[in-house]
Amino acid sequence: MTSFADRYGEWAVIAGASEGLGLAFASALASRKLNVVLLARRQDALEKAAASIRQVHRVEVRTVPCDLSNANFVDALKSATDDLEVGLAIFNAGYSFIGETLSLPLERALRVVEVNCMGPLRLAHALVPKMIERKRGGLVLMSSIAGYQGGPRLAPYAASKAFNRILAEGLWSELSESGVDVLASCPGAIRTPNYLKTTDKEAPGTMDASAVAEDTLVALAERRGPTKIIGVVNRLASAFLGVLPRTAAIAIMKSGTADLRGE
């Protein structure tokens, strides 16, 4: 059986990797003997994450402090990886806010689009063409079951997650003969520092970040399709919501977000 490193190469890039799910992805890949490049805004958190991965997994780690809402992050990424064969790219970075969309400044919603939609496109354009040339590689875009219907109080975020799922499905088809695997990973709530700040009561199906990362990487390697809903409870919930009228599905989402705390 081909190892993960043999399938995708020796280096992986994770955008949004300083904590939570991004750090879990970096650790899971390092445990598979891939070296990792970590992207995030906070240099101190990046260096702490990198030191931990080096100590535990004995792999090479590079850090790229950058703002993923800014197009210039691609220049920093290319500068840090020009001498590497990057075989796997994961766009985990995400920005969200909780509240009624039109009661908050437009800039908040535009930042959701800049990070969650424009960011994955920029990352894919920066890294995937070389994978196509080498005829091997992988691209993971983090979507969510929140992107399967409208999400009141999370409207721009839910819309951005729908964008990532549909983008991944299209790229999966376009790259199907190239040797590059594409997956949209669609979890529900994840026990990350940011999520735990918003609630005192976990949503049904909430998962640890390590489990989401592991299930996503397994699904990518299995190559069974462009989309994977992560977690049994989330798959059941998504199937249930999928047979309801859209208005009913949105109403259920509204009840689930009603008690989330904003900033």
Side-chain angles (χ1 to χ4, degrees), residues 37-131:
V37 181
L38 312 181
L39 281 66
R41 281 188 303 118
R42 294 181 295 135
Q43 185 167 7
D44 57 340
L46 274 178
E47 295 303 333
K48 181 179 179 180
S52 175
I53 292 169
R54 291 188 189 105
Q55 180 178 11
V56 173
H57 299 289
R58 305 299 178 185
V59 299
E60 294 185 58
V61 184
R62 295 187 183 183
T63 60
V64 184
C66 58
D67 183 350
L68 291 161
S69 70
N70 190 320
N72 291 338
F73 89 79
V74 171
D75 296 330
L77 172 61
K78 288 182 176 179
S79 177
T81 60
D82 269 347
D83 61 329
L84 305 179
E85 181 178 314
V86 175
L88 182 60
I90 299 176
F91 197 92
N92 166 72
Y95 174 73
S96 182
F97 59 85
I98 298 167
E100 302 291 334
T101 305
L102 300 183
S103 68
L104 295 167
L106 173 62
E107 289 74 18
R108 302 284 298 272
L110 292 178
R111 183 171 175 82
V112 173
V113 175
E114 289 163 353
V115 175
N116 300 7
C117 299
M118 297 174 72
L121 284 169
R122 288 171 174 146
L123 187 80
H125 274 275
L127 297 178
V128 174
K130 288 186 178 180
M131 298 180 195

Coordinates of all heavy atoms in Angstrom, one line a residue, residues 37-131:
V37 N 4.5 23.3 6.0 CA 4.6 24.7 6.0 C 3.3 25.3 6.6 O 2.2 25.0 6.1 CB 4.8 25.3 4.5 CG1 4.9 26.8 4.5 CG2 6.0 24.6 3.9
L38 N 3.5 26.1 7.6 CA 2.3 26.6 8.4 C 2.1 28.1 8.1 O 3.0 28.9 8.2 CB 2.6 26.4 9.9 CG 3.0 25.1 10.4 CD1 3.2 25.1 11.9 CD2 2.1 24.0 9.9
L39 N 0.9 28.4 7.7 CA 0.5 29.8 7.4 C -0.5 30.3 8.5 O -1.5 29.6 8.7 CB -0.1 30.0 6.0 CG 0.8 30.0 4.8 CD1 1.5 28.7 4.6 CD2 0.0 30.4 3.6
A40 N -0.3 31.5 9.0 CA -1.3 32.1 9.9 C -0.9 33.5 10.2 O 0.3 33.9 9.8 CB -1.5 31.3 11.2
R41 N -1.7 34.3 10.8 CA -1.4 35.7 11.1 C -0.4 35.9 12.2 O 0.5 36.7 12.1 CB -2.7 36.5 11.4 CG -3.5 36.9 10.2 CD -4.7 37.8 10.6 NE -5.5 37.2 11.6 CZ -5.7 37.7 12.8 NH1 -5.1 38.8 13.1 NH2 -6.5 37.1 13.7
R42 N -0.6 35.1 13.3 CA 0.2 35.4 14.5 C 1.5 34.6 14.6 O 1.5 33.4 14.7 CB -0.7 35.1 15.7 CG -1.9 36.0 15.9 CD -2.7 35.6 17.1 NE -3.3 34.3 17.0 CZ -3.3 33.4 18.0 NH1 -2.7 33.6 19.1 NH2 -3.8 32.2 17.8
Q43 N 2.6 35.4 14.4 CA 3.9 34.7 14.4 C 4.2 34.0 15.6 O 4.8 32.9 15.6 CB 5.0 35.7 14.0 CG 6.3 35.1 13.8 CD 7.3 36.0 13.2 OE1 7.1 37.2 13.1 NE2 8.5 35.5 12.9
D44 N 3.8 34.5 16.8 CA 4.2 33.8 18.1 C 3.5 32.5 18.1 O 4.0 31.5 18.6 CB 3.8 34.7 19.2 CG 2.3 35.1 19.3 OD1 1.7 35.1 18.2 OD2 1.8 35.5 20.3
A45 N 2.2 32.5 17.7 CA 1.4 31.2 17.8 C 2.0 30.2 16.7 O 2.0 29.0 17.0 CB -0.1 31.5 17.5
L46 N 2.4 30.7 15.6 CA 3.0 29.8 14.6 C 4.3 29.2 15.1 O 4.5 28.0 14.9 CB 3.3 30.7 13.3 CG 2.2 30.8 12.3 CD1 2.7 31.7 11.1 CD2 1.7 29.5 11.7
E47 N 5.1 30.0 15.7 CA 6.4 29.4 16.2 C 6.2 28.4 17.3 O 6.9 27.4 17.4 CB 7.3 30.6 16.6 CG 7.7 31.5 15.5 CD 8.4 30.8 14.4 OE1 9.0 29.8 14.6 OE2 8.4 31.3 13.2
K48 N 5.2 28.7 18.1 CA 4.9 27.7 19.2 C 4.4 26.4 18.6 O 4.8 25.3 19.0 CB 3.8 28.3 20.1 CG 3.4 27.4 21.3 CD 2.4 28.1 22.2 CE 2.0 27.2 23.3 NZ 1.0 27.8 24.2
A49 N 3.5 26.5 17.6 CA 3.0 25.3 16.9 C 4.1 24.5 16.2 O 4.2 23.3 16.3 CB 1.9 25.7 15.9
A50 N 5.0 25.3 15.6 CA 6.1 24.7 14.8 C 7.1 23.9 15.8 O 7.5 22.8 15.5 CB 6.9 25.7 14.1
A51 N 7.4 24.6 16.9 CA 8.3 23.9 17.9 C 7.7 22.6 18.4 O 8.4 21.6 18.6 CB 8.5 24.9 19.0
S52 N 6.4 22.6 18.7 CA 5.7 21.4 19.2 C 5.8 20.3 18.1 O 6.1 19.1 18.5 CB 4.3 21.7 19.5 OG 3.6 20.6 19.9
I53 N 5.5 20.6 16.9 CA 5.5 19.6 15.8 C 6.9 19.0 15.6 O 7.1 17.8 15.5 CB 4.9 20.2 14.5 CG1 3.5 20.5 14.7 CG2 5.2 19.2 13.4 CD1 2.9 21.3 13.6
R54 N 7.9 19.9 15.6 CA 9.3 19.4 15.5 C 9.7 18.5 16.6 O 10.3 17.4 16.4 CB 10.2 20.6 15.4 CG 10.2 21.5 14.2 CD 11.3 22.6 14.2 NE 11.1 23.6 13.2 CZ 10.7 24.8 13.4 NH1 10.4 25.2 14.7 NH2 10.5 25.7 12.4
Q55 N 9.3 18.8 17.8 CA 9.7 18.0 18.9 C 9.0 16.7 18.9 O 9.6 15.7 19.2 CB 9.4 18.8 20.2 CG 9.8 18.0 21.5 CD 9.5 18.8 22.8 OE1 8.8 19.8 22.7 NE2 10.0 18.3 23.9
V56 N 7.7 16.7 18.6 CA 7.0 15.4 18.7 C 7.2 14.5 17.5 O 7.4 13.3 17.7 CB 5.4 15.7 18.8 CG1 4.6 14.4 18.7 CG2 5.2 16.5 20.1
H57 N 7.3 15.1 16.3 CA 7.3 14.3 15.1 C 8.6 14.2 14.4 O 8.7 13.5 13.4 CB 6.2 14.8 14.2 CG 4.8 14.7 14.7 ND1 4.2 13.5 14.9 CD2 3.9 15.6 15.2 CE1 3.0 13.7 15.5 NE2 2.8 15.0 15.6
R58 N 9.5 15.1 14.7 CA 10.9 15.1 14.1 C 10.8 15.3 12.6 O 11.4 14.6 11.8 CB 11.6 13.8 14.4 CG 11.7 13.5 15.9 CD 12.5 14.5 16.6 NE 12.6 14.3 18.1 CZ 13.1 15.1 19.0 NH1 13.6 16.3 18.6 NH2 13.1 14.8 20.3
V59 N 10.0 16.3 12.2 CA 10.0 16.6 10.8 C 10.4 18.1 10.6 O 10.5 18.8 11.6 CB 8.5 16.4 10.2 CG1 8.1 15.0 10.3 CG2 7.5 17.4 10.9
E60 N 10.6 18.5 9.4 CA 10.9 19.9 9.1 C 9.6 20.8 9.1 O 8.6 20.3 8.6 CB 11.6 20.1 7.8 CG 13.0 19.4 7.7 CD 13.7 19.7 6.4 OE1 13.8 20.9 6.1 OE2 14.0 18.8 5.7
V61 N 9.7 22.0 9.7 CA 8.6 22.9 9.7 C 9.0 24.3 9.3 O 10.0 24.8 9.8 CB 7.9 22.9 11.1 CG1 6.7 23.8 11.1 CG2 7.6 21.5 11.6
R62 N 8.3 24.9 8.4 CA 8.5 26.3 8.0 C 7.3 27.1 8.4 O 6.2 26.5 8.3 CB 8.8 26.4 6.6 CG 10.1 25.8 6.1 CD 10.5 26.1 4.7 NE 11.7 25.4 4.3 CZ 12.3 25.5 3.1 NH1 11.7 26.4 2.2 NH2 13.3 24.9 2.7
T63 N 7.5 28.3 8.8 CA 6.3 29.1 9.1 C 6.3 30.4 8.2 O 7.3 30.9 7.9 CB 6.4 29.6 10.6 OG1 7.6 30.3 10.8 CG2 6.4 28.4 11.6
V64 N 5.1 30.8 7.9 CA 4.9 31.9 7.0 C 3.8 32.8 7.7 O 2.6 32.6 7.5 CB 4.4 31.5 5.6 CG1 4.3 32.8 4.7 CG2 5.3 30.5 5.0
P65 N 4.2 33.8 8.5 CA 3.2 34.7 9.1 C 2.7 35.6 8.0 O 3.4 36.3 7.3 CB 4.0 35.5 10.1 CG 5.5 35.4 9.7 CD 5.6 34.1 8.9
C66 N 1.4 35.6 7.8 CA 0.7 36.4 6.8 C -0.7 36.6 7.1 O -1.3 35.8 7.8 CB 0.9 35.7 5.4 SG 0.3 34.1 5.3
D67 N -1.3 37.6 6.4 CA -2.8 37.8 6.5 C -3.4 37.2 5.3 O -3.2 37.6 4.2 CB -3.0 39.3 6.6 CG -4.5 39.7 6.7 OD1 -5.4 38.7 6.6 OD2 -4.8 40.8 6.9
L68 N -4.2 36.1 5.5 CA -4.8 35.4 4.4 C -6.0 36.1 3.8 O -6.5 35.6 2.8 CB -5.2 34.0 4.9 CG -4.1 33.1 5.3 CD1 -4.5 32.0 6.2 CD2 -3.4 32.5 4.1
S69 N -6.3 37.3 4.3 CA -7.3 38.1 3.5 C -6.6 39.0 2.5 O -7.3 39.7 1.7 CB -8.1 39.0 4.5 OG -7.3 40.0 5.1
N70 N -5.3 39.0 2.5 CA -4.5 39.9 1.7 C -3.9 39.1 0.5 O -3.3 38.1 0.8 CB -3.4 40.6 2.5 CG -2.7 41.7 1.7 OD1 -2.4 41.6 0.5 ND2 -2.4 42.8 2.4
A71 N -4.0 39.5 -0.7 CA -3.5 38.8 -1.8 C -2.0 38.6 -1.7 O -1.4 37.7 -2.3 CB -3.8 39.5 -3.1
N72 N -1.3 39.5 -1.0 CA 0.1 39.4 -0.9 C 0.6 38.1 -0.1 O 1.8 37.8 -0.2 CB 0.7 40.6 -0.2 CG 0.6 41.9 -1.0 OD1 0.4 41.8 -2.2 ND2 0.5 43.0 -0.4
F73 N -0.3 37.4 0.5 CA 0.1 36.2 1.2 C 0.7 35.2 0.2 O 1.6 34.4 0.6 CB -1.0 35.6 2.0 CG -1.9 34.6 1.3 CD1 -1.4 33.3 1.2 CD2 -3.1 34.9 0.9 CE1 -2.2 32.3 0.5 CE2 -3.9 34.0 0.3 CZ -3.5 32.7 0.1
V74 N 0.3 35.2 -1.0 CA 0.8 34.3 -2.1 C 2.3 34.6 -2.3 O 3.1 33.6 -2.5 CB 0.0 34.4 -3.4 CG1 0.7 33.7 -4.5 CG2 -1.4 33.9 -3.1
D75 N 2.7 35.8 -2.3 CA 4.1 36.2 -2.5 C 5.0 35.6 -1.3 O 6.0 35.0 -1.6 CB 4.3 37.7 -2.6 CG 3.6 38.3 -3.8 OD1 3.5 37.6 -4.8 OD2 3.2 39.5 -3.7
A76 N 4.5 35.7 -0.1 CA 5.2 35.2 1.0 C 5.3 33.7 1.0 O 6.3 33.1 1.3 CB 4.5 35.7 2.3
L77 N 4.2 33.1 0.5 CA 4.1 31.6 0.4 C 5.1 31.1 -0.6 O 5.9 30.2 -0.4 CB 2.7 31.2 0.1 CG 2.5 29.7 -0.3 CD1 2.9 28.8 0.9 CD2 1.1 29.4 -0.7
K78 N 5.1 31.7 -1.8 CA 6.0 31.3 -2.9 C 7.4 31.5 -2.5 O 8.3 30.7 -2.8 CB 5.7 32.1 -4.1 CG 4.4 31.7 -4.8 CD 4.2 32.4 -6.1 CE 2.9 32.0 -6.8 NZ 2.7 32.7 -8.1
S79 N 7.7 32.6 -1.8 CA 9.1 32.8 -1.3 C 9.6 31.7 -0.3 O 10.7 31.3 -0.4 CB 9.2 34.2 -0.6 OG 10.5 34.4 -0.1
A80 N 8.6 31.2 0.5 CA 9.0 30.2 1.5 C 9.0 28.8 0.9 O 9.6 27.9 1.5 CB 8.0 30.3 2.6
T81 N 8.4 28.6 -0.3 CA 8.3 27.2 -0.8 C 8.9 27.0 -2.2 O 8.8 26.0 -2.7 CB 6.8 26.8 -0.8 OG1 6.1 27.7 -1.7 CG2 6.2 26.8 0.5
D82 N 9.6 28.0 -2.7 CA 10.1 27.9 -4.1 C 11.1 26.7 -4.2 O 11.2 26.2 -5.3 CB 10.8 29.2 -4.5 CG 9.9 30.2 -5.2 OD1 8.8 29.8 -5.5 OD2 10.3 31.4 -5.3
D83 N 11.8 26.4 -3.2 CA 12.7 25.3 -3.2 C 12.2 24.0 -2.8 O 12.9 23.0 -2.7 CB 13.9 25.6 -2.4 CG 13.6 25.8 -0.9 OD1 12.4 26.2 -0.6 OD2 14.4 25.4 0.0
L84 N 10.8 23.9 -2.6 CA 10.2 22.7 -2.1 C 9.3 22.1 -3.2 O 8.7 22.8 -4.0 CB 9.3 23.0 -0.9 CG 10.0 23.7 0.3 CD1 9.0 23.9 1.4 CD2 11.2 22.8 0.8
E85 N 9.1 20.8 -3.0 CA 8.0 20.1 -3.8 C 6.8 19.9 -2.9 O 6.7 19.0 -2.2 CB 8.5 18.7 -4.3 CG 7.5 18.0 -5.2 CD 8.0 16.7 -5.7 OE1 9.2 16.7 -6.2 OE2 7.3 15.7 -5.6
V86 N 5.9 20.9 -3.1 CA 4.7 20.8 -2.2 C 3.6 19.9 -2.9 O 3.2 20.2 -4.0 CB 4.1 22.2 -2.0 CG1 2.8 22.2 -1.3 CG2 5.1 23.1 -1.3
G87 N 3.3 18.9 -2.2 CA 2.4 17.9 -2.8 C 1.0 17.9 -2.2 O 0.1 17.3 -2.8
L88 N 0.8 18.7 -1.2 CA -0.6 18.8 -0.5 C -0.8 20.1 0.0 O 0.1 20.7 0.7 CB -0.6 17.7 0.6 CG -2.0 17.6 1.3 CD1 -3.1 17.2 0.4 CD2 -1.9 16.6 2.5
A89 N -2.0 20.7 -0.3 CA -2.3 22.0 0.2 C -3.7 21.9 0.9 O -4.6 21.3 0.3 CB -2.4 23.0 -1.0
I90 N -3.8 22.5 2.1 CA -5.0 22.5 2.9 C -5.4 23.9 3.2 O -4.6 24.6 3.9 CB -4.9 21.6 4.1 CG1 -4.6 20.2 3.8 CG2 -6.1 21.7 5.0 CD1 -4.3 19.3 5.0
F91 N -6.5 24.4 2.8 CA -7.0 25.7 3.2 C -8.0 25.5 4.3 O -9.2 25.3 4.1 CB -7.6 26.5 2.0 CG -7.7 28.0 2.3 CD1 -6.6 28.8 1.9 CD2 -8.7 28.5 3.0 CE1 -6.7 30.2 2.3 CE2 -8.8 29.8 3.4 CZ -7.8 30.7 3.0
N92 N -7.5 25.8 5.5 CA -8.3 25.6 6.7 C -8.7 27.0 7.3 O -9.6 27.1 8.0 CB -7.6 24.8 7.7 CG -8.2 24.9 9.1 OD1 -9.2 24.4 9.3 ND2 -7.5 25.6 10.0
A93 N -8.0 28.0 6.9 CA -8.2 29.4 7.5 C -9.7 29.8 7.2 O -10.2 29.5 6.2 CB -7.3 30.4 6.8
G94 N -10.2 30.4 8.2 CA -11.6 30.9 8.1 C -11.9 32.1 9.0 O -11.3 32.2 10.1
Y95 N -12.7 33.0 8.5 CA -13.1 34.1 9.3 C -14.6 34.1 9.4 O -15.3 33.8 8.4 CB -12.7 35.4 8.7 CG -13.2 36.6 9.4 CD1 -12.7 37.0 10.6 CD2 -14.2 37.4 8.8 CE1 -13.2 38.1 11.3 CE2 -14.7 38.5 9.5 CZ -14.2 38.8 10.8 OH -14.7 39.9 11.4
S96 N -15.2 34.4 10.5 CA -16.6 34.5 10.7 C -17.0 35.5 11.8 O -16.1 35.9 12.5 CB -17.2 33.1 11.1 OG -18.6 33.1 11.2
F97 N -18.2 35.8 11.8 CA -18.8 36.6 12.9 C -20.2 36.1 13.2 O -20.8 35.5 12.3 CB -18.8 38.1 12.6 CG -19.6 38.5 11.4 CD1 -20.9 38.7 11.5 CD2 -18.9 38.6 10.2 CE1 -21.7 39.0 10.3 CE2 -19.7 39.0 9.0 CZ -21.0 39.2 9.1
I98 N -20.7 36.4 14.4 CA -22.0 36.0 14.7 C -22.9 37.2 14.9 O -22.5 38.1 15.7 CB -22.0 35.2 16.0 CG1 -21.1 33.9 15.8 CG2 -23.4 34.8 16.5 CD1 -20.8 33.2 17.1
G99 N -24.0 37.3 14.2 CA -24.9 38.4 14.3 C -25.6 38.6 13.0 O -25.4 38.0 12.0
E100 N -26.6 39.5 13.1 CA -27.4 39.8 11.9 C -26.5 40.6 10.9 O -25.9 41.6 11.2 CB -28.6 40.7 12.3 CG -29.5 40.1 13.4 CD -30.3 38.9 12.8 OE1 -30.5 38.9 11.6 OE2 -30.7 38.0 13.6
T101 N -26.5 40.1 9.7 CA -25.5 40.5 8.7 C -25.6 42.0 8.5 O -24.6 42.7 8.5 CB -25.7 39.8 7.4 OG1 -25.7 38.4 7.7 CG2 -24.7 40.1 6.4
L102 N -26.8 42.5 8.3 CA -26.9 43.9 7.9 C -26.9 44.9 9.0 O -27.0 46.1 8.8 CB -28.2 44.1 7.1 CG -28.3 43.3 5.8 CD1 -29.6 43.5 5.0 CD2 -27.1 43.5 4.9
S103 N -26.8 44.4 10.3 CA -26.7 45.2 11.4 C -25.2 45.5 11.8 O -24.9 46.3 12.7 CB -27.4 44.6 12.6 OG -26.7 43.5 13.1
L104 N -24.3 44.9 11.0 CA -22.9 45.0 11.3 C -22.2 45.6 10.1 O -22.7 45.6 9.0 CB -22.3 43.6 11.6 CG -22.8 42.9 12.8 CD1 -22.4 41.4 12.9 CD2 -22.3 43.6 14.1
P105 N -21.0 46.2 10.3 CA -20.3 46.9 9.2 C -20.1 45.9 8.0 O -19.8 44.7 8.2 CB -19.0 47.3 9.8 CG -19.3 47.4 11.3 CD -20.3 46.3 11.6
L106 N -20.2 46.5 6.8 CA -20.0 45.7 5.6 C -18.6 45.1 5.6 O -18.5 44.0 5.0 CB -20.2 46.7 4.4 CG -19.9 46.1 3.0 CD1 -20.7 44.9 2.7 CD2 -20.0 47.2 1.9
E107 N -17.7 45.8 6.1 CA -16.3 45.3 6.1 C -16.2 43.9 6.7 O -15.3 43.1 6.3 CB -15.4 46.2 6.8 CG -15.1 47.5 6.1 CD -16.3 48.5 6.1 OE1 -17.2 48.3 7.0 OE2 -16.3 49.4 5.2
R108 N -17.0 43.6 7.7 CA -17.0 42.3 8.4 C -17.4 41.2 7.3 O -16.7 40.1 7.3 CB -17.9 42.2 9.6 CG -17.7 43.2 10.6 CD -16.5 42.9 11.5 NE -16.6 41.7 12.3 CZ -17.2 41.6 13.5 NH1 -17.7 42.7 14.1 NH2 -17.2 40.4 14.1
A109 N -18.4 41.4 6.6 CA -18.9 40.4 5.6 C -17.9 40.3 4.5 O -17.6 39.2 4.0 CB -20.3 40.8 5.1
L110 N -17.3 41.4 4.1 CA -16.3 41.4 3.0 C -15.1 40.6 3.4 O -14.5 39.9 2.6 CB -15.9 42.8 2.5 CG -17.1 43.6 1.8 CD1 -16.6 45.0 1.5 CD2 -17.5 42.9 0.6
R111 N -14.7 40.7 4.7 CA -13.5 39.9 5.1 C -13.8 38.4 5.1 O -12.9 37.6 4.8 CB -13.2 40.4 6.6 CG -11.9 39.6 7.1 CD -11.4 40.2 8.4 NE -10.3 39.4 8.9 CZ -9.0 39.6 8.5 NH1 -8.7 40.5 7.6 NH2 -8.1 38.8 9.1
V112 N -15.1 38.0 5.4 CA -15.4 36.6 5.2 C -15.1 36.2 3.8 O -14.6 35.1 3.6 CB -16.9 36.4 5.6 CG1 -17.3 35.0 5.2 CG2 -17.2 36.7 7.0
V113 N -15.6 37.0 2.8 CA -15.3 36.6 1.4 C -13.8 36.6 1.1 O -13.4 35.7 0.4 CB -16.1 37.6 0.5 CG1 -15.8 37.3 -1.0 CG2 -17.6 37.5 0.7
E114 N -13.1 37.6 1.6 CA -11.7 37.7 1.2 C -10.9 36.5 1.8 O -10.1 35.9 1.1 CB -11.1 39.0 1.8 CG -11.6 40.2 1.1 CD -11.4 41.5 1.9 OE1 -11.0 41.4 3.0 OE2 -11.6 42.6 1.3
V115 N -11.2 36.1 3.0 CA -10.5 35.0 3.6 C -11.0 33.6 3.1 O -10.2 32.8 2.6 CB -10.5 35.0 5.2 CG1 -9.9 33.8 5.8 CG2 -9.9 36.3 5.7
N116 N -12.3 33.4 3.2 CA -12.9 32.1 3.0 C -13.1 31.7 1.6 O -13.2 30.5 1.2 CB -14.3 32.0 3.7 CG -14.1 32.3 5.2 OD1 -13.1 32.6 5.7 ND2 -15.2 32.1 5.9
C117 N -13.2 32.7 0.7 CA -13.5 32.4 -0.7 C -12.3 32.8 -1.6 O -11.8 31.9 -2.4 CB -14.7 33.2 -1.2 SG -16.2 32.8 -0.4
M118 N -11.8 34.0 -1.5 CA -10.6 34.4 -2.3 C -9.4 33.7 -1.9 O -8.5 33.3 -2.7 CB -10.5 35.9 -2.3 CG -11.7 36.6 -2.8 SD -11.6 38.4 -2.7 CE -10.3 38.8 -3.9
G119 N -9.2 33.4 -0.6 CA -8.1 32.7 -0.1 C -7.8 31.3 -0.7 O -6.7 31.0 -1.2
P120 N -8.8 30.5 -0.7 CA -8.7 29.2 -1.3 C -8.3 29.2 -2.8 O -7.5 28.4 -3.3 CB -10.0 28.5 -1.1 CG -10.6 29.2 0.1 CD -10.1 30.6 0.0
L121 N -8.9 30.2 -3.5 CA -8.6 30.3 -4.9 C -7.1 30.7 -5.1 O -6.4 30.2 -6.0 CB -9.5 31.4 -5.6 CG -10.9 30.9 -5.9 CD1 -11.8 32.1 -6.3 CD2 -10.9 29.9 -7.0
R122 N -6.7 31.7 -4.3 CA -5.3 32.1 -4.4 C -4.3 31.0 -4.1 O -3.3 30.8 -4.7 CB -5.1 33.3 -3.5 CG -5.7 34.6 -4.0 CD -5.7 35.7 -3.0 NE -6.2 36.9 -3.5 CZ -6.9 37.8 -2.8 NH1 -7.1 37.6 -1.5 NH2 -7.3 38.9 -3.4
L123 N -4.6 30.2 -3.0 CA -3.8 29.1 -2.7 C -3.7 28.0 -3.8 O -2.6 27.5 -4.1 CB -4.3 28.4 -1.4 CG -3.4 27.4 -0.8 CD1 -2.2 28.0 0.0 CD2 -4.2 26.4 0.1
A124 N -4.9 27.7 -4.3 CA -4.9 26.7 -5.4 C -4.1 27.2 -6.6 O -3.3 26.4 -7.2 CB -6.4 26.4 -5.8
H125 N -4.3 28.4 -7.0 CA -3.5 28.9 -8.2 C -2.0 28.9 -7.9 O -1.2 28.8 -8.8 CB -4.0 30.3 -8.5 CG -5.2 30.4 -9.5 ND1 -5.0 30.3 -10.8 CD2 -6.5 30.4 -9.2 CE1 -6.3 30.3 -11.4 NE2 -7.1 30.4 -10.4
A126 N -1.6 29.2 -6.6 CA -0.2 29.2 -6.3 C 0.5 27.9 -6.3 O 1.6 27.8 -6.6 CB 0.0 29.9 -4.9
L127 N -0.3 26.8 -5.9 CA 0.4 25.5 -5.6 C 0.0 24.4 -6.5 O 0.8 23.5 -6.8 CB 0.1 25.1 -4.2 CG 0.7 26.1 -3.1 CD1 0.3 25.5 -1.7 CD2 2.2 26.2 -3.2
V128 N -1.3 24.4 -7.0 CA -1.8 23.2 -7.7 C -1.2 23.1 -9.1 O -0.9 21.9 -9.6 CB -3.3 23.2 -7.8 CG1 -3.8 22.1 -8.6 CG2 -3.8 23.1 -6.3
P129 N -0.9 24.1 -9.9 CA -0.3 23.9 -11.2 C 1.0 23.1 -11.2 O 1.1 22.2 -12.1 CB 0.0 25.3 -11.7 CG -1.1 26.2 -11.0 CD -1.2 25.6 -9.7
K130 N 1.8 23.2 -10.2 CA 3.0 22.4 -10.2 C 2.7 21.0 -9.8 O 3.4 20.0 -10.3 CB 4.0 23.0 -9.1 CG 4.7 24.3 -9.6 CD 5.8 24.7 -8.6 CE 6.5 26.0 -9.2 NZ 7.5 26.5 -8.2
M131 N 1.6 20.7 -9.0 CA 1.2 19.4 -8.8 C 0.7 18.7 -10.1 O 1.0 17.5 -10.3 CB 0.0 19.4 -7.8 CG 0.4 19.9 -6.4 SD -1.1 19.8 -5.3 CE -0.6 20.9 -4.0

